[in-house]
Amino acid sequence: MTGYILNNRAARRVFLHRHLLSDTPQGDATGAALLDVITRLGFVQLDSINTVARAHDLILFSRKSRYRPKALKTLYETDRSLFEHWTHDAAVIPMEFYRHWSMRRERDAEKLRKQYKNWRRGDYEALFQTVLDQIKAEGPLSSSDVGKDEKKGSGGWWDWHPSKTALEYLWRSGALAVTGREGFQKRYDLTERVVAPDLRDPVNAPTEAETIDWCCNTALDRLGFASHTEIAAFWAHVTLAEARKWCETALARGQIMRCLVKGVKGDLKPQFARPNLPEDPALEISPTKRLRVLSPFDPALRDRKRAERLFGFTYRIEVFVPEPKRTYGYYVFPILEGDRLVGRVDMKAFRDRDVLHVKALWPENGVRWTTARANAFEAELQRVKKLAGVSQVSFENEWLRLGGP
């Protein structure tokens, strides 16, 4: 079915269903139920910015509105059902996937050894054994616990002292594991004290070919349809060349097919999909109309170009843009309703004042901010304030920006 065309409405339905945004965000949000959400998503990106809630918390909340941060902390730090490593960024990942990070750890070991020599201060490699011995003797440590006699940098969070660099290298390459975080500071321990023996046994490690196959298969299944570039970017393990070759092989075997996916402007983009896409049950699932606020780092929106192509939603993070030059605001949250992104809101939780304050909301072009939509938004704010840990909602004067930015 090389000529199969997936229209834009159908594409949105498949895409939102794969990202767990079709159903009303209800039900249990702890233990096995929460782990199932993370497993189906693949991973949840971690981010330190906390204007309302941290990105990982809002990502999970938008799928399960009973979610609270303590549930993720329990899965990660107590149950050891998750581990932390990198995809496109730092993320928590189901522990059952740990074996498939062996290739990433090996590649990171080689890549970072070269990069850190150029980027970081001091001879961090000479400190490997010192850091390992200290953790072995003292238990889990953070970067502030090691290298106390080393000069701390003044160039910002990226200006690591040598022992911090050693910690990061040993974690990324596999000798250490992150056991959790205090605030947003990582705690490191010996991998052998964190990860089960069968998962870290080299005998059980998949080959590179097996990991590439796993990465590409699981990425496509979580996206619904994708180019080889998007497949490679999902886990950020495999190279573009490896993803391209996988697509060619899978296509020849009949495991995937070529199709054309229609964008919101009518453009057709060549993609790969499973041969059963035309019968995918998600095509018949109309996404819930319940309005919800999404994290800027939501997995459905992480690829900004794809979000623009599928939903007509142009989004840029303006955290690092000087305030006078921002189009919207420091940290603006997209608003999803059904299969449409209907607006974006600039808001912040002031916990010292016990309030979630809405500074501005911009409906998207062509979206009428009706009474029903306004009521749905205020209902969502009542839910979000509980996640944020405040009890009140306030609005700035002229917060509703109907004329655009």
Side-chain angles (χ1 to χ4, degrees), residues 359-374:
K359 183 176 181 180
L361 183 148
W362 298 266
E364 287 294 283
N365 289 335
V367 172
R368 293 177 57 242
W369 204 252
T370 62
T371 299
R373 190 164 278 137

Side-chain angles (χ1 to χ4, degrees), residues 105-403:
R105 291 188 292 272
E106 290 173 5
R107 291 183 176 184
D108 278 357
E110 180 180 355
K111 178 183 71 174
L112 295 179
R113 193 179 290 271
K114 297 175 183 177
Q115 289 181 348
Y116 284 178
K117 281 183 180 295
N118 298 325
W119 296 354
R120 308 301 182 194
R121 294 183 290 111
D123 186 4
Y124 73 94
E125 293 181 75
L127 297 168
F128 286 167
Q129 196 58 52
T130 301
V131 167
L132 289 170
D133 288 345
Q134 185 179 353
I135 291 175
K136 184 176 182 179
E138 300 178 25
L141 299 176
S142 66
S143 61
S144 61
D145 299 316
V146 298
K148 291 186 176 181
D149 59 341
E150 295 169 11
K151 182 180 179 182
K152 301 300 188 287
S154 58
W157 64 266
W158 60 88
D159 191 6
W160 299 346
H161 59 281
S163 290
K164 161 67 172 174
T165 304
L167 277 175
E168 285 288 304
Y169 182 87
L170 291 167
W171 165 51
R172 295 281 295 273
S173 58
L176 296 179
V178 176
T179 64
R181 292 174 179 254
E182 291 295 338
F184 211 69
Q185 188 175 51
K186 295 192 287 289
R187 295 192 313 275
Y188 307 80
D189 200 355
L190 302 178
T191 299
E192 64 199 55
R193 299 200 293 219
V194 178
V195 181
D198 61 315
L199 291 175
R200 54 185 170 80
D201 188 340
V203 174
N204 297 329
T207 64
E208 280 204 356
E210 290 170 335
T211 292
I212 291 167
D213 186 59
W214 180 88
C215 285
C216 294
N217 270 308
T218 53
L220 182 58
D221 288 340
R222 284 167 173 77
L223 293 170
F225 47 83
S227 65
H228 79 274
T229 302
E230 292 164 339
I231 288 171
F234 185 86
W235 299 108
H237 281 13
V238 304
T239 66
L240 289 177
E242 288 166 343
R244 183 185 294 110
K245 183 178 179 180
W246 180 86
C247 289
E248 292 171 354
T249 301
L251 192 63
R253 292 174 177 171
Q255 296 171 333
I256 62 175
M257 70 172 188
R258 297 184 190 275
C259 65
L260 296 170
V261 175
K262 186 170 289 189
V264 69
K265 295 180 180 179
D267 54 306
L268 295 173
K269 183 172 179 62
Q271 303 268 264
F272 295 104
R274 297 298 184 189
N276 63 354
L277 179 63
E279 293 82 42
D280 194 309
L283 294 170
E284 304 302 322
I285 298 175
S286 180
T288 175
K289 291 293 185 182
R290 181 158 132 179
L291 185 146
R292 67 185 111 179
V293 170
L294 300 181
S295 164
F297 297 108
D298 194 281
L301 303 176
R302 179 175 63 83
D303 186 328
R304 309 298 189 202
K305 291 182 179 179
R306 183 169 55 211
E308 191 165 353
R309 188 172 71 244
L310 287 179
F311 299 95
F313 188 74
T314 303
Y315 186 90
R316 302 291 182 269
I317 284 282
E318 297 184 286
V319 167
F320 301 110
V321 176
E323 186 171 2
K325 296 184 178 181
R326 291 175 189 152
T327 303
Y328 294 101
Y330 173 78
Y331 197 82
V332 175
F333 301 86
I335 302 172
L336 178 70
E337 180 190 68
D339 66 354
R340 300 174 67 195
L341 287 155
V342 297
R344 62 195 81 201
V345 57
D346 183 3
M347 60 183 180
K348 182 176 181 178
F350 293 92
R351 293 172 183 87
D352 57 335
R353 289 156 42 190
D354 193 31
V355 65
L356 176 64
H357 183 68
V358 177
K359 183 176 181 180
L361 183 148
W362 298 266
E364 287 294 283
N365 289 335
V367 172
R368 293 177 57 242
W369 204 252
T370 62
T371 299
R373 190 164 278 137
N375 290 339
F377 174 64
E378 293 195 27
E380 175 71 348
L381 292 178
Q382 294 302 311
R383 293 185 285 266
V384 170
K385 76 177 186 183
K386 295 177 182 177
L387 177 68
V390 299
S391 64
Q392 304 171 70
V393 177
S394 65
F395 296 84
E396 195 151 311
N397 291 336
E398 299 182 355
W399 62 274
L400 185 56
R401 310 291 177 84
L402 296 177

